[in-house]
Amino acid sequence: MSQVLDGKAHADRMLEEVRQGVEARLAQGKRAPALAVVLVGDDPASHVYVRNKTAACAKVGIRSLEHRLAADTPQAALDALIDQLNADPGVDGILVQLPLPQGLDAKRALHRISPAKDVDGFHPVNQGLLLEGLPGLRPCTPTACMSLLAHHGVALKGLRAVVLGRSEIVGKPMALMLLEQHATVTIAHSRTKDLPAVCREADLLVAAVGRPGLVEGSWIKPGAVVVDVGINRVEDEALGAAIFAAEPKKLETLRAKGGVLCGDVRFGEAMAVASAVTPVPGGVGPLTIAGLLANTLAASNQDA
Ligand code: NAP
């Protein structure tokens, strides 16, 4: 039986470090770090994410400043708000909650954020710094995954790592961070031939795909470490019966509640093969917000 890598516990450790960092700033007579969150439209999931981020900010002493815009906000108005936040010396970090409503260009908005306030780490300047291995604000999810692996003493040097997914948000930066730590990295994606065989080569498998239960137990090398970034809601009972064959409780929950959250990896099957696995929920999810707040503190300390 493998170890469950508890993301919630590690997120609490990361948040405690941020809280102490905020306290240290205040002790030096500086103001608390401030995170501006821009929420456009009525996407219910986005409202939940923003609420969670606001609550986490409050716990560690970061000020959160919420800016809500209507779904039919023109791009020029969003640009103007970002410009205003960029120029505001009382704002350290700016986060534009994605997805944006149709008609708004997310890339344009993200690229407009000043790189010094880009706490999501999505700006091309910050992505370029990461590519060069230089300090900068780095994407929260992969940064937090690296912190979790370090905490659990996963030795990355020389390790065969496979990152499943090549998004700018997770897959690509995760691969770069692993490479920086001297892992031998393969990036796999939807056009990869014989995906199960590629995954089976991995001593460390990171799945960031968004396909419930894609990674079966037979895809995992015995003793591998598995980081499951995917967050998916499964409502279909037939799909649930297939992917939760080794997790009867999850299937029961699906039947009882009409839906259940799961990752890209079949957790029950992975637990029988891997040496360590992150669960969903309770794995990478809580770490991402902790990474965001760590970035906000780092952004505020750039004036130090
Ligand atoms: P994304 O932008 O949709 O990228 C998905 C990647 O997976 C793409 O590179 C795609 O390949 C690849 N892919 C899709 N279907 C595949 C298949 N059948 N076989 C192999 N590769 C496949 O997604 P993302 O933003 O990176 O997010 C991925 C997952 O992580 C989602 O479930 C998301 O909700 C979750 N997520 C979680 C957190 C967290 O806090 N835990 C944070 C961010 C994201 P192509 O490039 O070839 O299309």
Side-chain angles (χ1 to χ4, degrees):
M1 196 70 165
S2 75
Q3 182 190 4
V4 178
L5 299 177
D6 185 344
K8 172 77 178 62
H10 191 60
D12 286 345
R13 281 188 286 273
M14 288 174 70
L15 288 172
E16 176 54 22
E17 268 179 37
V18 175
R19 197 190 60 73
Q20 288 174 13
V22 172
E23 248 179 36
R25 269 183 70 84
L26 298 178
Q28 291 164 18
K30 295 179 178 167
R31 60 165 176 75
L35 172 66
V37 179
V38 179
L39 179 55
V40 191
D42 311 310
D43 179 51
S46 293
H47 278 261
V48 173
Y49 292 139
V50 167
R51 210 181 311 134
N52 291 344
K53 286 168 188 170
T54 306
C57 280
K59 270 195 205 158
V60 298
I62 289 178
R63 281 182 70 211
S64 65
L65 314 160
E66 226 174 280
H67 294 266
R68 291 180 182 236
L69 300 176
D72 60 357
T73 299
Q75 187 92 36
L78 178 58
D79 288 352
L81 174 59
I82 294 171
D83 291 348
Q84 178 201 319
L85 296 170
N86 280 339
D88 186 341
V91 170
D92 300 296
I94 303 170
L95 180 150
V96 175
Q97 182 65 46
L98 300 180
L100 290 175
Q102 269 202 339
L104 288 176
D105 182 342
K107 272 233 153 111
R108 175 167 149 179
L110 298 178
H111 289 192
R112 204 167 181 102
I113 295 172
S114 159
K117 298 189 178 188
D118 166 40
V119 283
D120 263 333
F122 296 161
H123 192 283
V125 166
N126 284 319
Q127 301 249 9
L129 290 169
L130 168 61
L131 187 70
E132 291 203 6
L134 294 171
L137 293 168
R138 295 182 167 193
C140 309
T141 303
T143 302
C145 290
M146 294 298 285
S147 169
L148 181 74
L149 293 171
H151 175 78
H152 286 281
V154 178
L156 297 172
K157 204 176 191 175
L159 204 77
R160 288 296 299 261
V162 172
V163 178
L164 199 43
R166 55 175 164 178
S167 71
E168 263 95 53
I169 295 172
V170 190
K172 283 184 198 167
M174 184 77 214
L176 287 170
M177 289 178 201
L178 290 168
L179 189 61
E180 189 178 40
Q181 295 301 316
H182 313 294
T184 300
V185 185
T186 300
I187 304 176
H189 46 77
S190 67
R191 320 293 160 84
T192 298
K193 285 187 184 153
D194 200 355
L195 198 55
V198 172
C199 291
R200 267 193 295 272
E201 288 177 6
D203 300 310
L204 170 65
L205 179 62
V206 181
V209 177
R211 300 276 179 273
L214 175 76
V215 178
E216 302 175 18
S218 64
W219 296 23
I220 297 168
K221 183 175 175 178
V225 173
V226 179
V227 175
D228 190 354
V229 181
I231 300 178
N232 313 289
R233 187 174 159 80
V234 174
E235 294 177 355
D236 183 85
E237 217 178 296
L239 175 64
I243 65 178
F244 303 135
E247 278 178 282
K249 280 211 173 125
K250 204 95 164 173
L251 189 57
E252 265 172 41
T253 310
L254 189 161
R255 286 184 176 135
K257 298 195 170 166
V260 71
L261 281 186
C262 72
D264 293 338
V265 177
R266 299 185 184 191
F267 180 76
E269 296 179 23
M271 285 292 287
V273 192
S275 63
V277 188
T278 61
V280 178
V284 176
L287 292 170
T288 297
I289 291 186
L292 172 73
L293 301 193
N295 271 355
T296 305
L297 174 64
S300 75
N301 284 335
Q302 288 173 125
D303 61 8

